[in-house]
Structures are given as C-alpha cells and as structure tokens.
C-alpha cells in the first residue's frame, strides 16, 4: 500500500509549488486590472499572450530563444543565494562576457584561426570575463565587507559604461554609422542551430548548465558546504569549512554562467558587440531565480514562462494596441508578488505545530 507523507518535507514541497503559483495568479489579476484601465479586454490579452508565446511553432521557438539567456543569468543569482548572498549583477556580467567574446573573435580572426578555434576563444573569453566580474563582487564581500548586492549592482553600470566606451571608441567598426558596434565576427564563426530547430545552441548550454549546477549545489560536498555556510556561517567556520573560498568560488561560477549568456548573444544572435547586449536579460534572470526558489532545475521551466511573456509583447502591440513594454509591467508586478509571498513560507507548518504550554514557575522557598 502506498503511503503518502504529510511531514515537514512534504509541506515544504507543497509550499514551494503552491506559493509561486498563487503569486503568479495574483499578478495576473492585478495585470488584468491594469490592461482594463488601458481600454483592453483582459481575457483577450491573456489569450494573445499564450498565443504569442506558445500558439505556433514559430512563436514557441521564439520563446526558446529568449529562455536560453534567462537560464544562464538566473544561475548568476541562484548560485550565490545558496550561501545567503543576493547577487544582482547578471546584466553586467553578460555585457562583459559578450564584449570579451567579440574581442576574442576579432583577435582570433586577425591571426587566421579556423572557426572552431574562434568559437573556443569566444567561449573561454566569455566565461572568464563573467567569472572575474562577479568573482570581484564576492571577493569584495569576504575581504572588505562590501555588500555583494550593492557592488554587483554598481558593476552593472560599470560594465555597460565600458561597453559603450569601447564600441564607440577603440573597437568601433567604421562602417557602423547609426549604431556603434564592433566589427562582425563573421558568419562562419556564428553559433549554429540545434538539429531540426531554428534555435541556437545557447539553449543546450543553458539546460546543461542548470543540470550541472543542480548536481554541484545539491549532490556534492561543495554544495553541502555552501548550504551550511549560508545557513549558519559561525557553525560552518567551527566545522572548518573555508567559507571565504566558497563565497569567491561560487560567485565566480555564477558570473561565468552570465558571461556565457553574453557570449551566446554575440555568437548566435547579434554577430557583434553593441548596445543590443543591454537587453535586460540579467535583470529578468533575477526574477526567474526568485520564482524558481534558486533551484537550478526549476529555473528551466520558469525561464520558459518568462521567455514566453517577453515573446508575446509584439503580438500585444499589434492586436490589443498596447505598448511593447506592457509585458515589463507584468514582470514588475510578478516580482513584487514573489517578494511579498516570501513571508508565507513556513506559516502552514508553524500553524500546525502544537503549542507547548509553559509550566508555572515554582514558588520560591525563603
């Protein structure tokens, strides 16, 4: 006979599924009121969003294209969260990864490297740039006591400024008149598509990265040490864990994931580095990580959901006469709802625990 467990672990699993779904439903209700105030029919808007994200094979592939970088940038927030860190520097790491990848491609082409070597140089350069970018935030945290949230946020602006400075200066292609860009990496060096799909290999990179990060953080001693450090730093230090090294290594790995997303955007989408890299994938990845409860496996379906929301913006603009940024409003509402729902975790368990009645103090004896 099958026994169904209703213990604390089962309740935690139920909460991890039910609370984000409840936050999503509440966000859709608020969003419906918003679009109704704009004169649109909420039900028609919801229908168009589903159709624009998953209604046709073309729209579904568009959703997959948007989900690929979201998986990688979400890992940039999810992995440090295992140690109790809030890193929001995925946008800067993506930009630096894309800029470094484009620079490596141009240098490799100048040396006459074959396409396989060019792609390898782009991959290594993108990973290294993103790793160093977020690893710097981790190092500032452990060695100088600087908040990783503030430092990673400021590094976003620094990375964007460096991109704009270089693509409008030393790395600018003279042929790019209206939109300053680097020279093209060349069609022969572009990242190809998955067999049978019009979706680039970046999607496979994202899925593989999520799977490997799940194994690393949930099935290895490294992940156990990271979780222990995040749960109780003092206990981790007493147990002899290298907490500082764990923080720096985890932040470095997280940055490498976001840097890989930048490399994919250059190699498979834009073909060069320019302001198009600043697309907001890093910030949306924060929302993906929080909805997924920082679980690398849950990041995959959540990235698909958020990618679909982003892909439906164009259809809403054509059919409902709503601005393309309307989907960004939904994402903002969803982010607020997810943050507000954090207070609900553990309440059902606490409500069912029996209250211990304290005994009255014994009378003092003179």
């Amino acid at each position: 006979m099958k026994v169904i467990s209703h213990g604390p672990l089962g309740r935690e699993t139920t909460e991890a599924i039910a609370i984000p779904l409840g936050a999503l439903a509440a966000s859709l209700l608020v969003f419906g009121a918003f679009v109704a105030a704009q004169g649109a029919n909420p039900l028609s808007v919801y229908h168009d969003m589903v159709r624009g994200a998953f209604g046709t094979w073309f729209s579904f592939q568009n959703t997959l294209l948007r989900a690929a970088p979201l998986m990688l940038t979400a890992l940039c927030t999810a992995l440090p969260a295992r140690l109790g860190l809030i890193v929001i520097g995925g946008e800067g790491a993506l930009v630096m990864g894309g800029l470094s990848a484009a620079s490596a491609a141009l240098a490799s082409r100048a040396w006459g490297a074959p396409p396989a070597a060019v792609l390898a140089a782009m991959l290594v350069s993108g990973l290294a740039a993103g790793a160093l970018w977020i690893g710097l935030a981790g190092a500032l945290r452990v060695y100088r006591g600087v908040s990783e949230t503030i430092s990673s946020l400021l590094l976003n602006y620094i990375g964007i400024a460096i991109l704009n400075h270089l693509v409008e200066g030393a790395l600018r292609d003279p042929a790019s008149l209206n939109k300053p860009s680097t020279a093209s990496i060349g069609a022969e060096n572009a990242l190809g598509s998955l067999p049978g799909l019009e979706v680039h290999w970046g999607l496979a990179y994202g899925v593989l990265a999520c799977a490997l990060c799940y194994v690393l953080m949930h099935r290895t001693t490294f992940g156990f040490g990271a979780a222990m450090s995040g749960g109780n730093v003092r206990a981790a230090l007493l147990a002899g864990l290298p907490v500082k090294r764990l923080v720096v290594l985890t932040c470095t790995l997280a940055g490498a994931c976001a840097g890989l997303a930048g490399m994919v955007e250059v190699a498979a989408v834009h073909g060069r580095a320019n302001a198009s890299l600043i697309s907001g994938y890093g910030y949306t990845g924060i929302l993906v990580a929080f909805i997924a409860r920082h679980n690398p496996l849950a990041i995959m379906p959540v990235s698909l959901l958020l990618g679909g929301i982003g892909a439906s913006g164009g259809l809403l603009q054509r059919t409902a006469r709503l601005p393309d940024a309307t989907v960004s409003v939904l994402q903002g509402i969803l982010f607020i709802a997810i943050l507000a729902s954090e207070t609900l975790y553990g309440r059902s368990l606490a409500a069912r625990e029996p209250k211990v009645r304290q005994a009255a103090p014994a009378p003092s004896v003179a």
Side-chain angles (χ1 to χ4, degrees), residues 227-319:
M228 187 174 180
S229 301
N232 192 323
V233 176
R234 182 171 297 180
L237 290 172
L238 291 175
L241 291 176
V243 175
K244 292 184 177 181
R245 187 170 64 188
L246 285 171
V247 169
V248 174
L249 286 177
T250 303
C251 289
T252 299
L253 178 61
C257 292
L260 177 60
M263 175 267 175
V264 168
E265 286 296 294
V266 168
V269 180
H270 306 298
R272 64 189 73 220
N274 52 35
S276 297
L277 284 174
I278 314 169
S279 55
Y281 283 132
Y283 296 115
T284 307
I286 301 171
L287 176 57
V288 172
F290 273 86
I291 296 177
R293 300 289 294 167
H294 308 301
N295 186 318
L297 292 184
I299 282 175
M300 290 187 281
V302 175
S303 297
L304 195 64
L305 172 64
L306 269 295
I309 291 176
S312 65
L315 184 62
L316 291 182
Q317 191 175 19
R318 295 192 301 271
T319 59

Side-chain angles (χ1 to χ4, degrees), residues 8-360:
L9 184 59
R11 295 194 192 103
E12 290 178 1
T13 303
T14 302
E15 285 183 343
I17 298 174
I19 293 178
L21 288 178
L24 176 61
S27 301
L28 290 175
L29 290 176
V30 176
F31 180 70
F34 171 78
V35 297
Q38 302 297 315
N41 185 346
L43 296 180
S44 298
V45 170
Y46 295 150
H47 176 266
D48 290 339
M49 289 180 67
V50 174
R51 188 160 59 95
F54 310 105
T56 64
W57 182 238
F58 173 80
S59 61
F60 181 62
Q61 290 186 112
N62 189 22
T63 296
L64 292 177
L65 285 173
R66 293 171 180 266
L70 290 180
M71 294 180 192
L72 295 168
T73 56
L75 289 173
C76 187
T77 297
L79 297 184
R82 188 77 171 168
L83 292 103
L85 304 177
I86 301 177
V87 172
I88 55 176
E91 188 78 3
L94 182 150
V95 166
M96 293 306 297
L99 179 61
S100 299
S103 302
L106 296 179
S108 300
R109 290 187 67 192
W111 296 335
V118 173
L119 279 175
M122 293 178 67
L123 179 63
V124 173
S125 181
L127 288 171
L132 291 173
W133 206 246
I134 303 301
L136 175 60
L140 289 173
R141 167 70 182 192
V142 298
Y143 294 114
R144 303 302 300 172
V146 180
S147 169
E148 75 284 350
T149 306
I150 300 299
S151 62
S152 60
L153 175 62
L154 295 179
L155 283 171
N156 286 339
Y157 297 104
I158 295 173
I160 292 172
I162 293 174
L163 171 71
N164 291 331
H165 175 74
L166 291 178
V167 299
E168 294 177 9
L171 297 180
R172 180 171 182 173
D173 181 10
S176 59
L177 301 177
N178 297 328
K179 190 173 188 178
S181 307
T182 64
S184 173
I185 65 172
E188 69 279 5
N189 300 316
L191 195 63
S193 300
L194 292 167
L197 297 174
E198 294 182 7
V199 181
H200 53 68
W201 277 93
L203 178 64
Y205 292 170
V207 172
L208 182 61
C210 287
L212 292 177
C213 288
Y214 175 81
V215 173
L216 176 66
M217 303 306 289
H218 293 266
R219 293 291 185 269
T220 65
T221 55
F222 178 89
F224 176 77
M228 187 174 180
S229 301
N232 192 323
V233 176
R234 182 171 297 180
L237 290 172
L238 291 175
L241 291 176
V243 175
K244 292 184 177 181
R245 187 170 64 188
L246 285 171
V247 169
V248 174
L249 286 177
T250 303
C251 289
T252 299
L253 178 61
C257 292
L260 177 60
M263 175 267 175
V264 168
E265 286 296 294
V266 168
V269 180
H270 306 298
R272 64 189 73 220
N274 52 35
S276 297
L277 284 174
I278 314 169
S279 55
Y281 283 132
Y283 296 115
T284 307
I286 301 171
L287 176 57
V288 172
F290 273 86
I291 296 177
R293 300 289 294 167
H294 308 301
N295 186 318
L297 292 184
I299 282 175
M300 290 187 281
V302 175
S303 297
L304 195 64
L305 172 64
L306 269 295
I309 291 176
S312 65
L315 184 62
L316 291 182
Q317 191 175 19
R318 295 192 301 271
T319 59
R321 301 288 186 248
L322 292 172
D324 184 57
T326 302
V327 294
S328 299
V329 175
L330 175 58
Q331 291 178 1
I333 296 172
L334 181 57
F335 192 42
I336 294 174
I338 288 295
L339 292 179
S341 67
E342 289 289 320
T343 60
L344 301 177
Y345 288 94
R347 288 203 173 185
S348 62
L349 180 60
R352 297 181 184 182
E353 288 181 348
K355 295 183 178 180
V356 180
R357 184 176 180 181
Q358 295 182 352

